[in-house]
Amino acid sequence: MSRLPIPERVAILKDNEGWFGRAPEEFQDAVLGRCAWVTCPAGQPIYRATDSHVNFCGIVDGAVEIYSRFGAGDNPLLHILHEGAWIGYGTVVGRSAPRVTALARVETLMAAIPDRVLRSLLAKRPEWWEAIASGIMEYGDTAISAYADSLLDDHERRCASVLLRITGLNPPRRSRPGRTDVPVTQEELATMAHVSRTTLAQVLRTFEARGLVERGYRTLRVADAPGLRALATGW
């Protein structure tokens, strides 16, 4: 993973359809020029909600799991992020503890810039705060979409919506949308979709029979994203 050439790493972040890909090229270059390339082993915390300072990180390859700082009890997995997504807004903007805990789901390569370095850059070019604000809005959109998923009455539609979201196939999509797999267990997906494991198994069998998904060991692959999206939206 870490052998990816630097130009390819940069392209993965700059070509994303999300906020960073739409940001001014001068801003992109300024941020990436101050980043270090960091590889996190699977299971390693990138940062915890109790940390006071964190790096602002763009995911180049791999996957990052997100847990809420407001979670109680088991604090289940909320979301999985893929290449092109950024994390670490909280300490940059609020100068406070992060809003979430982020862990490397698999070995994950990231571009990392310390929050103080990014704030210094933004102090010199305050107009670039607009790009960060777009990122925060995007972050909020993901949270709202996750909540909207949970309100769907039909469990097949709800499972389809959650699967599209955590696979990175809903806008803003992952930088390489041809990658349609997600490292997730059926137990985790059942929790996120608010269904029992028995119900989820039935749903996935139906999805497989229709050619929508393929199951693997601790992973799922979306085989027909348009078909799954049509089901999720009720078309």
Side-chain angles (χ1 to χ4, degrees):
M1 179 182 299
S2 59
R3 295 179 181 176
L4 278 172
I6 299 298
E8 186 174 346
R9 301 179 189 188
V10 170
I12 287 169
L13 293 171
K14 294 176 88 172
D15 293 346
N16 185 260
E17 66 181 26
W19 73 273
F20 193 80
R22 300 191 308 270
E25 186 172 8
E26 190 180 0
F27 169 80
Q28 295 174 334
D29 292 339
V31 171
L32 295 177
R34 291 164 173 78
C35 281
W37 302 106
V38 178
T39 299
C40 289
Q44 177 176 302
I46 299 167
Y47 57 76
R48 298 187 182 277
T50 53
D51 293 341
S52 56
H53 297 283
V54 305
N55 288 332
F56 191 62
C57 298
I59 303 168
V60 176
D61 204 6
V64 173
E65 53 191 59
I66 300 296
Y67 299 86
S68 172
R69 68 171 179 166
F70 300 113
D74 292 337
N75 196 8
L77 174 66
L78 292 182
H79 188 48
I80 300 174
L81 294 169
H82 303 272
E83 66 275 3
W86 289 77
I87 57 175
Y89 299 91
T91 57
V92 173
V93 177
R95 296 176 183 262
S96 59
R99 267 42 183 175
V100 301
T101 290
L103 280 72
R105 184 73 167 176
V106 297
E107 185 179 69
T108 300
L109 174 64
M110 299 177 298
I113 178 172
D115 55 356
R116 58 178 176 77
V117 174
L118 182 55
R119 282 199 300 268
S120 176
L121 178 63
L122 294 169
K124 296 174 184 175
R125 297 292 298 271
E127 69 273 19
W128 285 349
W129 273 107
E130 185 175 343
I132 300 297
S134 294
I136 294 170
M137 291 176 66
E138 200 168 274
Y139 205 73
D141 286 343
T142 299
I144 291 170
S145 69
Y147 180 62
D149 291 345
S150 71
L151 298 179
L152 292 171
D153 290 334
D154 183 87
H155 54 252
E156 287 192 359
R157 288 185 61 199
R158 192 163 63 252
C159 290
S161 294
V162 171
L163 187 52
L164 286 166
R165 173 171 54 81
I166 66 171
T167 309
L169 299 179
N170 277 346
R173 292 166 295 183
R174 60 199 300 177
S175 294
R176 288 172 284 190
R179 291 187 172 186
T180 62
D181 59 301
V182 60
V184 66
T185 67
Q186 292 189 32
E187 182 176 1
E188 290 168 331
L189 182 57
T191 299
M192 285 189 280
H194 302 290
V195 295
S196 68
R197 290 188 64 181
T198 300
T199 298
L200 178 68
Q202 294 171 344
V203 169
L204 291 179
R205 281 196 294 269
T206 300
F207 286 1
E208 277 192 311
R210 295 172 60 178
L212 299 175
V213 305
E214 295 176 357
R215 285 184 285 183
Y217 176 67
R218 299 177 68 87
T219 186
L220 285 167
R221 187 180 79 85
V222 176
D224 180 4
L228 196 64
R229 190 169 292 110
L231 174 61
T233 56
W235 292 349

